[in-house]
Amino acid sequence: MSRGSLFRHADFRRLFAGDTASQFGTFVGNTAVPLLAAVTLAATPFEMGLLAAAETLAFLLLGLPAGVWVDRLSRRRVMLTADFTRFALLLSVPIAWWAGVLTLAQLLVVVLLVGIATLFFDIAYQSYLPSLVGREHLVEGNAKLQAVQSTAQIAGPSAAGVLVQVISAANTVLVTGLGFLTSALCLFRIRTREPEPDRGAHVRLLPQIVEGLRFVFSDKPLRAIVACTATANFFGGALAAVQVLFLTRVAGLPPAAVGVLLAAGGAGGILGALCSGALTRRLGQSRAIWLVPLFTWPGQLMLPLAAPGWRLVLAGGGLVLGGFGLIVYNVAQVSYRQAICPDRLLGRMNASVRFVVWGTIPLGGLLGGALGEVLRLRGALWLALVGEVASALWVLCSPLRRMRELPTAAKSGSPAA
């Protein structure tokens, strides 16, 4: 298959279509759920921190064993089960709202359980792509899927802001559920056979977990990437806890304007996804991982300038720049770790990485909620953004800075060197 030809791959088209529906629903929900809690249920900053933490708590509690379980099962079947589960859970929110019994406690439980399903879906998803398209097409495949995510990041929050004003936040959550249902129906039609799972290793869980962790942390470039992403996500969790409250209560923006502003990062993300292949080839994969964040992530520091009028445009421009850098970084580092890992370890490798880099998000969410109470919303927002930008120092001060290209051949089942 020649470069740029993945859209001629029928099963990749089905995965792409399902991912489009799922990502659109996800970003609608990422805006609608906080607005539901902040505006409709009158949540405090600390309660918003709990909500942000609940969304990704599963990665911290179940992330490592989930990778072992995914390696033992059909990855497509895991993804289907997760999609149907998320649809059913999210459907309960508008039903409770219609009945007049929706509470913040129910919203927290739904978000927590959806997070568990998302954990299994994401690990299976990143482990499934190499067997679907082949390792030689990973950069192209990841770039196309990141373009979907960035497009959804634009359309989702914007649509959510409008839908919340027109049909209420609780009803808007239903759109997220329908996205997951559509994703499941598309995945169901994929016909490519994936490799048989490793069913001979069902006896002991802990050694398999350790094998995945050893693979990740014995590779110096991957170790720096994981540290960078984990730090960025920690402060990103703090940011998620306070940004909607800041934009609605301090900056004075209506829900529709909040949606438009949060969508700005997606515009940069689309550009990043379109440019990531060419930029990575020109700079080298290693340089793309540290040089692009160094010059783009600081754009996010303009978010606290948000206010009605021209300052909204300025803040949006900063988010566009930050979104561009984030997607180029993600395409380069995800493709690298998929390429070096043998098939039998893909689930455990992805789970080990997700355990660390997503496990920090709920901790950051709790910190953001607490800082919002102590430092007020603007102070908490500044601290979160400075920490997120400074996370690039991990890769800047690592061996990656002295390299141009990273190894791309899949390693053996032994730990990485």
Side-chain angles (χ1 to χ4, degrees):
M1 192 183 298
S2 62
R3 179 182 297 167
S5 62
L6 275 183
F7 281 135
R8 294 200 294 270
H9 189 303
D11 282 340
F12 179 79
R13 290 200 305 270
R14 295 179 181 113
L15 179 69
F16 185 87
D19 186 56
T20 300
S22 176
Q23 293 289 352
F24 179 81
T26 295
F27 281 101
V28 168
N30 285 349
T31 302
V33 170
L35 284 173
L36 176 62
V39 178
T40 306
L41 300 178
T44 66
F46 182 71
E47 288 170 336
M48 293 294 287
L50 288 177
L51 189 66
E55 184 177 355
T56 52
L57 187 61
F59 288 86
L60 183 62
L61 299 181
L62 299 173
L64 292 176
V68 178
W69 295 327
V70 167
D71 277 340
R72 296 174 177 179
L73 300 168
S74 163
R75 289 156 186 165
R76 187 173 74 104
R77 188 172 300 167
V78 171
M79 294 158 64
L80 283 167
T81 302
D83 271 341
F84 284 124
T85 300
R86 291 186 288 187
F87 167 68
L89 287 167
L90 290 168
L91 182 61
S92 72
V93 173
I95 289 176
W97 172 252
W98 299 334
V101 296
L102 181 65
T103 64
L104 185 64
Q106 178 187 340
L107 195 62
L108 283 168
V109 171
V110 168
V111 167
L112 176 64
L113 295 177
V114 167
I116 293 174
T118 298
L119 163 69
F120 282 92
F121 183 93
D122 284 357
I123 293 172
Y125 180 77
Q126 290 193 339
S127 305
Y128 183 61
L129 186 64
S131 66
L132 185 70
V133 303
R135 293 176 187 272
E136 68 275 15
H137 296 288
L138 283 174
V139 171
E140 181 192 351
N142 281 313
K144 284 178 165 57
L145 295 173
Q146 286 285 352
V148 168
Q149 180 179 352
S150 299
T151 303
Q153 191 176 349
I154 293 176
S158 302
V162 174
L163 288 171
V164 166
Q165 288 191 319
V166 174
I167 64 173
S168 83
N171 289 329
T172 304
V173 172
L174 181 59
V175 176
T176 297
L178 293 174
F180 293 135
L181 178 62
T182 304
S183 171
L185 296 177
C186 292
L187 290 172
F188 189 76
R189 298 184 61 238
I190 291 178
R191 295 292 177 261
T192 299
R193 294 180 62 87
E194 60 183 296
E196 285 295 320
D198 183 7
R199 303 186 185 278
H202 284 218
V203 180
R204 302 177 66 192
L205 186 68
L206 185 58
Q208 291 184 280
I209 291 175
V210 171
E211 187 179 13
L213 286 168
R214 187 182 296 121
F215 186 93
V216 170
F217 287 103
S218 59
D219 183 277
K220 289 182 179 179
L222 186 53
R223 190 164 63 232
I225 289 166
V226 168
C228 172
T229 310
T231 305
N233 283 351
F234 175 77
F235 287 103
L239 175 66
V242 297
Q243 68 178 356
V244 169
L245 288 178
F246 170 81
L247 294 173
T248 55
R249 297 181 185 177
V250 178
L253 301 179
V258 172
V260 170
L261 183 60
L262 296 182
I270 291 176
L271 183 61
L274 294 174
C275 297
S276 60
L279 195 58
T280 297
R281 288 191 295 272
R282 177 172 288 273
L283 294 176
Q285 193 173 10
S286 177
R287 291 175 184 170
I289 290 173
W290 66 267
L291 189 60
V292 173
L294 180 66
F295 285 97
T296 59
W297 289 7
Q300 300 170 91
L301 294 173
M302 287 191 273
L303 179 59
L305 302 179
W310 66 270
R311 296 205 304 182
L312 185 65
V313 177
L314 187 64
L319 293 180
V320 168
L321 186 62
F324 174 89
L326 178 63
I327 294 302
V328 174
Y329 167 82
N330 276 340
V331 169
Q333 61 94 3
V334 170
S335 299
Y336 164 66
R337 72 180 200 237
Q338 287 172 331
I340 65 169
C341 186
D343 284 330
R344 72 178 192 86
L345 277 174
L346 276 168
R348 278 166 283 172
M349 179 276 294
N350 283 317
S352 297
V353 172
R354 285 299 177 102
F355 168 74
V356 178
V357 305
W358 283 65
T360 60
I361 298 177
L363 301 178
L366 293 174
L367 175 66
L371 290 175
E373 300 279 3
V374 175
L375 300 180
R376 304 295 184 186
L377 295 171
R378 190 182 297 274
L381 188 73
W382 272 113
L383 183 61
L385 286 167
V386 169
E388 197 170 17
V389 171
S391 64
L393 292 172
W394 284 107
V395 288
L396 178 62
C397 299
S398 75
L400 290 165
R401 192 163 52 89
R402 298 188 295 273
M403 304 165 62
R404 173 180 170 83
E405 298 293 347
L406 295 167
T408 56
K411 298 182 180 181
S412 66
S414 58

